[in-house]
Amino acid sequence: MKSVRIGVTCYNSAFGQAKRSLSSSSKTNLGVIDVLPEVKEALNSKTPVVALESTIITHGMPYPSNLETALDVEDIVRKQGAVPATIGVIDGRVKVGLKREELERLAQPASPERPVVKISRRDFPFVLSKKMDGGTTVAGTVLVAEKVGIKVFVTGGIGGVHRDVETSMDISADLMEMSRSSVTVVSSGIKSILDIGRTLEYLETLGVCVVTMGDSNRFPAFYTRESGHQSPYHVKNVDEAAELISSLHTLKMNSGVLLAVPVPLEAEQIDFASMEEVISQCLRDCEEQGIKGKAVTPFVLERVSKLTKGKSLETNIALIKNNALVGSRVATKLEALLSSSEHVEHVNSMPQAVGQSSLKHVSSSKASLTSSSTQQPLVIGGSNLDCVVIATDSLKKDNALSAGSVRHMGGGVARNMAEALSRLGCHPCLLSAVGNDNIGQLLLQLTPPTVDCSRIKMEDTNSASCVVVIDNTGENVLLVGDMSIHNRLNKQYISNNFDKLKNSSIVVMDGNVPDDTMEFVINESYYHGKPVWFEPTDIVTANKAFKSEAWKKLRFTSPNFKELQEISIATGLASATSKFESMTRDEIIDASFKMAALLAEHIETVMVTLGQHGVMMVGRESATSTITGRYYSLSSDLRLDIASVSGAGDCCAAGYIRGWLTGLPESSCMSLAFASAVDSLHCFDTVPKQFTTEPQDIAKHMKLTLITS
């Protein structure tokens, strides 16, 4: 093992840089995304923004028509009062808004020395790691637009189900991406070379709202106004389209709309039957030449252009310009609707999740980390009433009375984390179970109104309760609890609240959840693209999520050292090591990294909490694929007046999650995590009523050691 000491000053710099560069509209970690200042300003000021794809530049049209069209389309968007944001990849950086020289660079024909990749969801990791250039497909563009908060995306035609799907199983990723992103795609339907009927059926299965704009619900076929198919719905004009899309955002459905705009009548140069003959010939040519996968569409489009003597290219240019006109008008109207007094009134009537003091805790720059309705974690697990016995002197034996105090407070890891997240500015929903008894009612009263408790399961049984004994040093020395009610958190209960999972920003689950429910939650979250954070809770429940292969789909887990040992044994990745209490600090650090590194072969980030020794973060470096450990510790000159350690780990994890949801780099997430834990240590409540310690102040005392195998 080799380690490198990093100077403490990097934290103040990293946190400051994050505050300067992160807009309030950011929805994720933007470490590899560069948002053009014009676009960033528009998003912050609620000016309508229209996303534009770049494969139409890199793979859809020949040079120089591709560049001329791209510039014309951006000009059309601007003339309608919106801001264009052409999305592409330059040197492994995702660009939201391309400069003129970047557009020219992507428009130039690719070469072996300078390949240009067609980028869908699956291609981002490779292209970014290799610092390559690329044009984003509909799927790739929708993915990025969703991350930065752009609501409307304009393209020519979307991908879909290929005509030979029975043998090729070729279905475009565009469809799945539209089903999990609240982005409206404005296009002239589905590319004519595809099976339009099957594509419409598949969109229905995925829950994507398909609507034609015009005088009927006839679905267009890209180059032609008719396809022989119909949309489920149609809207007559821009106003009706914007009203429909506004409803989507009000419901927070987390799925998109396909707004099909027929090619203008004057631009339609080829009838449907003639185009079908041309496409059939092109597909035969494609099969004969053995062209497959994502190379099919560019090849066929080029062949169609040749066989139609350029008419298809002219139609393509005309329809994309018309879509830009319609899309930018829809975006402008939509932004006005969402900013209307009715919408503001609705938002203001919702419970506010954070007060001034919490905002100050998150960051002294309120513009960088603010409460956001998009930050809606779903927290699943235990709620219990803690009876906390705190000894004020050494605990006596032989039934002798020990002096101390007794307090009752809300507990349960899931409940604690939901409360902490809400006090840090998120809007969590808690899925848990309490009894129809006095304890159950008290638990609901103790949980702040900023936590959505509307889906908590009420059962005719005892609520969970736990006796916690804390000695005069602040350490937990005994835990006794009745947690049987948590067995009611079954798969059916999760299924009944599936809308909360699909609309969440992250799923946080504790070890109180039954084994089969854990597996169900992990698999369903993974399928719907929702990251899962597993908090093991204690050494008894730590291994529950690791009894099936589902654990390999976790994004985060946060065990302490003893829980990590239990997980390592359960997975068969490592055997038991020495007891924590008998190990030196260096031995603990070394053992933590070795055990966590084995989990990190599958889990993106493993957070190992080491009590007074700090936190070990283990994961894979995206650039080198090397698994590294980042050991964070606090210097001894930071004074900690410990009242109770109960809840400190929960608050630490909640602080990190809050920073991650906001898009902060890991170092700043850790500053926030430590600050949250310090506030918890300073009070007897598991979660403090207010978080007041500044992350910037903690960063001054934080040290980092990088560890590689």
Side-chain angles (χ1 to χ4, degrees):
M1 180 180 77
K2 57 182 179 180
S3 63
V4 182
R5 178 73 65 180
I6 304 296
V8 180
T9 54
C10 70
Y11 288 101
N12 298 319
S13 174
F15 200 87
Q17 183 179 8
K19 291 194 293 181
R20 290 192 298 272
S21 64
L22 194 63
S23 73
S24 60
S25 63
S26 173
K27 300 175 71 176
T28 189
N29 192 321
L30 303 184
V32 295
I33 301 179
D34 299 327
V35 183
L36 198 67
E38 178 190 19
V39 177
K40 183 182 295 185
E41 182 178 353
L43 290 170
N44 287 337
S45 63
K46 303 300 182 183
T47 301
V49 178
V50 174
L52 303 166
E53 67 160 299
S54 48
T55 49
I56 199 169
I57 303 171
T58 59
H59 294 79
M61 294 182 184
Y63 182 84
S65 297
N66 54 355
L67 178 60
E68 294 167 355
T69 302
L71 294 172
D72 288 345
V73 166
E74 287 201 345
D75 187 54
I76 290 169
V77 173
R78 285 194 175 92
K79 287 180 178 178
Q80 303 308 311
V83 174
T86 303
I87 294 173
V89 175
I90 302 287
D91 291 332
R93 301 287 302 179
V94 180
K95 303 287 184 176
V96 180
L98 292 173
K99 301 175 184 177
R100 171 64 183 257
E101 58 267 29
E102 292 171 333
L103 284 170
E104 291 176 346
R105 175 170 168 173
L106 289 181
Q108 296 294 328
S111 66
E113 295 75 28
R114 194 190 70 85
V116 179
V117 182
K118 185 179 178 183
I119 305 172
S120 186
R121 170 182 276 265
R122 69 166 189 180
D123 306 298
F124 277 107
F126 180 82
V127 174
L128 269 56
S129 66
K130 297 298 183 182
K131 313 299 183 188
M132 300 175 75
D133 291 356
T136 51
T137 63
V138 170
T141 307
V142 167
L143 185 153
V144 176
E146 171 79 356
K147 287 184 180 295
V148 299
I150 300 175
K151 305 178 187 70
V152 177
F153 160 50
V154 166
T155 184
I158 69 166
V161 179
H162 281 244
R163 298 191 183 198
D164 62 346
V165 68
E166 299 90 345
T167 55
S168 69
M169 292 300 293
D170 195 343
I171 300 175
S172 172
D174 296 354
L175 309 184
M176 182 62 74
E177 206 62 50
M178 290 170 63
S179 75
R180 55 189 173 195
S181 302
S182 301
V183 176
T184 294
V185 178
V186 181
S187 80
S188 290
I190 299 154
K191 291 185 177 73
S192 304
I193 64 175
L194 304 170
D195 189 324
I196 294 175
R198 285 177 171 171
T199 302
L200 289 172
E201 286 291 336
Y202 196 58
L203 285 170
E204 180 182 354
T205 299
L206 294 175
V208 176
C209 180
V210 178
V211 54
T212 295
M213 186 170 135
D215 57 1
S216 76
N217 65 343
R218 295 191 299 273
F219 192 80
F222 194 55
Y223 297 117
T224 63
R225 296 173 63 84
E226 295 284 349
S227 67
H229 299 278
Q230 294 184 331
S231 295
Y233 306 104
H234 91 278
V235 291
K236 295 179 181 179
N237 50 43
V238 165
D239 288 352
E240 288 187 8
E243 289 281 358
L244 182 147
I245 300 164
S246 176
S247 299
L248 173 88
H249 287 279
T250 301
L251 285 172
K252 297 180 174 62
M253 290 178 63
N254 201 36
S255 60
V257 170
L258 173 60
L259 181 61
V261 181
V263 60
L265 189 60
E266 64 273 14
E268 188 180 39
Q269 300 189 46
I270 313 167
D271 62 75
F272 180 70
S274 300
M275 181 55 72
E276 275 294 285
E277 291 181 9
V278 170
I279 290 172
S280 296
Q281 178 61 53
C282 293
L283 291 174
R284 287 193 295 271
D285 295 343
C286 193
E287 183 176 359
E288 290 173 3
Q289 296 184 37
I291 296 172
K292 298 179 181 179
K294 62 182 181 180
V296 170
T297 299
F299 172 84
V300 173
L301 291 176
E302 183 179 3
R303 289 287 293 148
V304 168
S305 181
K306 289 181 179 178
L307 292 176
T308 60
K309 299 180 180 179
K311 289 183 179 180
S312 65
L313 178 59
E314 293 174 12
T315 304
N316 195 356
I317 293 172
L319 67 86
I320 186 64
K321 289 182 178 180
N322 184 63
N323 292 346
L325 180 69
V326 172
S328 53
R329 288 176 177 174
V330 168
T332 301
K333 181 66 177 178
L334 174 64
E335 201 62 61
L337 285 173
L338 295 178
S339 300
S340 66
S341 58
E342 291 82 10
H343 183 72
V344 171
E345 199 170 277
H346 169 70
V347 172
N348 288 340
S349 70
M350 296 174 65
Q352 296 301 303
V354 61
Q356 287 294 101
S357 60
S358 295
L359 283 174
K360 180 183 177 184
H361 164 66
V362 174
S363 171
S364 59
S365 173
K366 295 179 183 178
S368 66
L369 280 173
T370 57
S371 176
S372 170
S373 61
T374 63
Q375 304 208 356
Q376 297 177 323
L378 176 64
V379 186
I380 307 173
S383 295
N384 51 266
L385 185 70
D386 284 346
C387 175
V388 183
V389 181
I390 306 165
T392 55
D393 202 351
S394 299
L395 291 172
K396 296 180 173 58
K397 299 180 180 180
D398 301 323
N399 296 321
L401 181 67
S402 299
S405 62
V406 179
R407 300 166 59 93
H408 291 89
M409 61 191 70
V413 170
R415 198 215 65 86
N416 291 346
M417 292 185 71
E419 179 177 355
L421 284 166
S422 75
R423 296 195 187 282
L424 288 168
C426 296
H427 299 260
C429 174
L430 177 61
L431 296 187
S432 190
V434 300
N436 282 314
D437 52 15
N438 291 335
I439 290 179
Q441 293 301 318
L442 181 58
L443 278 172
L444 294 177
Q445 293 173 16
L446 291 173
T447 304
T450 47
V451 177
D452 179 2
C453 295
S454 62
R455 305 295 183 90
I456 287 181
K457 194 174 188 181
M458 303 294 293
E459 293 285 334
D460 290 324
T461 186
N462 294 334
S463 295
S465 58
C466 181
V467 176
V468 182
V469 179
I470 300 175
D471 66 15
N472 62 320
T473 68
E475 288 293 328
N476 287 345
V477 294
L478 182 65
L479 292 171
V480 179
D482 175 7
M483 302 294 164
S484 57
I485 192 175
H486 297 143
N487 292 326
R488 310 290 181 95
L489 302 176
N490 52 36
K491 292 191 289 185
Q492 186 59 53
Y493 171 56
I494 301 300
S495 296
N496 292 342
N497 293 282
F498 211 64
D499 58 316
K500 290 296 184 180
L501 185 148
K502 290 183 68 177
N503 293 325
S504 65
S505 52
I506 187 172
V507 176
V508 180
M509 180 169 60
D510 76 8
N512 291 299
V513 177
D515 301 13
D516 59 340
T517 306
M518 282 188 185
E519 184 177 0
F520 178 72
V521 169
I522 295 169
N523 285 329
E524 290 300 318
S525 299
Y526 183 81
Y527 176 78
H528 290 282
K530 303 299 178 182
V532 178
W533 181 297
F534 175 63
E535 165 50 51
T537 305
D538 59 42
I539 60 173
V540 176
T541 61
N543 63 11
K544 290 170 69 174
F546 298 84
K547 293 181 179 180
S548 73
E549 292 297 294
W551 72 268
K552 295 178 181 179
K553 299 173 185 176
L554 291 172
R555 183 80 69 86
F556 304 93
T557 188
S558 49
N560 61 28
F561 185 85
K562 295 178 181 178
E563 292 162 354
L564 179 60
Q565 287 183 315
E566 294 299 319
I567 292 169
S568 298
I569 295 169
T571 56
L573 296 176
S575 56
T577 58
S578 303
K579 290 186 177 181
F580 183 83
E581 292 79 8
S582 63
M583 299 171 70
T584 66
R585 175 177 172 273
D586 287 345
E587 288 173 338
I588 290 170
I589 293 170
D590 183 62
S592 298
F593 173 69
K594 287 179 178 177
M595 289 188 290
L598 296 172
L599 295 179
E601 290 287 347
H602 302 282
I603 302 176
E604 182 180 291
T605 303
V606 181
M607 170 191 271
V608 188
T609 54
L610 302 174
Q612 62 180 341
H613 298 304
V615 174
M616 173 74 74
M617 303 294 293
V618 182
R620 193 180 296 278
E621 287 282 348
S622 59
T624 63
S625 296
T626 302
I627 292 177
T628 65
R630 286 86 62 193
Y631 170 58
Y632 296 88
S633 58
L634 296 176
S635 57
S636 58
D637 60 342
L638 177 64
R639 182 178 177 181
L640 294 176
D641 297 322
I642 299 176
S644 169
V645 298
S646 180
D650 301 338
C651 290
C652 180
Y656 188 93
I657 292 169
R658 176 62 167 104
W660 180 83
L661 285 171
T662 312
L664 293 179
E666 183 180 274
S667 58
S668 297
C669 289
M670 283 308 308
S671 298
L672 186 51
F674 275 135
S676 303
V678 166
D679 280 337
S680 178
L681 290 170
H682 287 171
C683 71
F684 288 109
D685 292 330
T686 50
V687 179
K689 296 296 185 292
Q690 292 183 342
F691 287 105
T692 57
T693 300
E694 288 283 1
Q696 299 94 317
D697 294 338
I698 292 295
K700 299 173 185 176
H701 300 275
M702 195 164 69
K703 300 177 182 178
L704 166 64
T705 303
L706 293 182
I707 302 171
T708 57
S709 56

